[in-house]
Amino acid sequence: SGAQVLLIHEGKKGADGQPQIILATQRYGQGRSAAFTADTTYLWYLPLRGMGQDSPYNRFWGQLIRWLANSDVRNRDRGPGLEALLNKNVFQLGESVRIRAMVRDDKGDATRYAQVSLDVAKADGSGSKHLNLAPSETRTGMYDVTIDAPDKGEYALTMTASKDGKELGRQTLKFSVITPADEMLKLAANPELLKSIANSTNGFYYELPQLGTLVSELVRTTAGDTGLKQQTVPLHSFVRATAAMTVGDPGWPKKYDLPLQGMLAVLLLGSEWFLRRRWQLP
């Protein structure tokens, strides 16, 4: 009875004849509760994701969870503020740097109507730049900006947020841009190094104009050069199959397979008779 109904389905009636409830919230003790009765919401995400558009899926659940966690009340207790974020502190030369900020107004609520600016400068004071952060479409109060491929060095950032001429917060961040590893610094081929590796490993080195020569040599290579040989062994001939698995192809004509198997059977039976007589077995 104390719940607040936020969403209903006009086309579906409940047992009481009233529209069925989709979303309702209610305070419970010191916390909050919510009931959501619709089908799985991942279907909201898939079609728009395929078209490269933002989906209400992330916004709905993100805002609902933050509301249930009383994050809005805690933010009001904290008052106005600015929280700047870097995705990391060390970047490779050529990487872009993304900077985000969460802004609260003087009531402590997340706001998308603030003016957020960023001053970027190297540690030595050179290369200063002034940038403005744009509000994010997916989360209220979030602002972001991207610095495209800054030069090598140490950087200091000063971010400021204001609204209606009143400063809400200020924060300073630092990050570094370093050169990549040596093997990534020069991506072009190194002929001298390749020749040295080929000589050390008994291999071959070909220039690009020699590609035709390389293909011709690969085509002329026969199966015998690889040391591989295909052999067919009849499994019904136990003697030939055993010889092939142990010492290789025996090489005798196939007409000897049956007599050899007969001799093997006589040898085994004779050995069994001899052992039984020797050990006086029944």
Side-chain angles (χ1 to χ4, degrees):
S1 58
Q4 180 181 5
V5 177
L6 301 180
L7 290 175
I8 60 173
H9 195 303
E10 289 285 357
K12 288 191 175 182
K13 306 295 183 180
D16 56 357
Q18 300 297 321
Q20 292 188 4
I21 297 172
I22 296 177
L23 177 62
T25 62
Q26 182 176 350
R27 294 187 177 276
Y28 184 84
Q30 298 297 320
R32 297 169 173 177
S33 62
F36 182 73
T37 64
D39 198 359
T40 49
T41 54
Y42 80 94
L43 296 175
W44 301 353
Y45 179 81
L46 296 179
L48 295 178
R49 177 67 174 178
M51 294 185 290
Q53 301 179 12
D54 291 329
S55 167
Y57 177 86
N58 292 334
R59 182 181 299 183
F60 171 78
W61 286 110
Q63 292 180 355
L64 179 61
I65 296 302
R66 284 193 293 272
W67 183 83
L68 289 171
N70 281 345
S71 61
D72 56 334
V73 176
R74 290 197 298 271
N75 288 337
R76 291 192 186 99
D77 294 339
R78 295 164 64 186
L82 167 68
E83 297 177 8
L85 303 170
L86 273 172
N87 52 346
K88 56 184 179 180
N89 295 323
V90 179
F91 296 84
Q92 300 284 343
L93 187 64
E95 279 189 292
S96 296
V97 180
R98 185 186 181 191
I99 305 164
R100 297 178 296 167
M102 190 68 189
V103 181
R104 302 185 305 274
D105 60 15
D106 53 358
K107 296 181 181 179
D109 294 328
T111 177
R112 59 184 299 108
Y113 301 108
Q115 293 76 46
V116 185
S117 60
L118 177 68
D119 292 311
V120 185
K122 287 190 174 182
D124 57 6
S126 63
S128 60
K129 185 185 299 185
H130 183 82
L131 301 172
N132 293 319
L133 280 74
S136 172
E137 294 294 334
T138 59
R139 181 173 178 182
T140 301
M142 182 68 74
Y143 296 75
D144 58 20
V145 69
T146 300
I147 304 175
D148 293 325
D151 296 331
K152 175 184 175 182
E154 303 286 335
Y155 288 84
L157 311 175
T158 302
M159 188 179 297
T160 307
S162 61
K163 183 181 180 184
D164 299 330
K166 181 180 178 180
E167 183 173 307
L168 301 176
R170 180 183 296 265
Q171 189 172 348
T172 301
L173 298 173
K174 294 181 179 180
F175 70 88
S176 303
V177 178
I178 61 175
T179 56
D182 292 342
E183 65 268 18
M184 299 299 294
L185 192 58
K186 184 179 179 182
L187 301 181
N190 187 340
E192 297 301 324
L193 178 60
L194 294 175
K195 291 178 182 178
S196 175
I197 295 174
N199 293 332
S200 301
T201 58
N202 296 324
F204 301 92
Y205 172 78
Y206 292 89
E207 298 284 353
L208 185 59
Q210 298 176 296
L211 180 60
T213 304
L214 172 61
V215 173
S216 298
E217 292 188 4
L218 292 175
V219 171
R220 287 199 302 268
T221 302
T222 61
D225 297 333
T226 62
L228 300 178
K229 184 178 180 181
Q230 182 176 351
Q231 179 181 353
T232 302
V233 178
L235 297 180
H236 64 270
S237 176
F238 178 79
V239 177
R240 182 181 289 274
T242 303
M245 289 187 294
T246 54
V247 297
D249 186 8
W252 62 66
K254 292 184 178 180
K255 61 181 182 180
Y256 297 139
D257 288 349
L258 184 59
L260 288 173
Q261 290 195 102
M263 293 176 58
L264 178 61
V266 172
L267 178 62
L268 292 175
L269 291 174
S271 299
E272 180 187 15
W273 177 82
F274 175 77
L275 291 176
R276 287 180 180 276
R277 292 294 301 268
R278 180 181 178 88
W279 294 332
Q280 296 182 359
L281 296 175

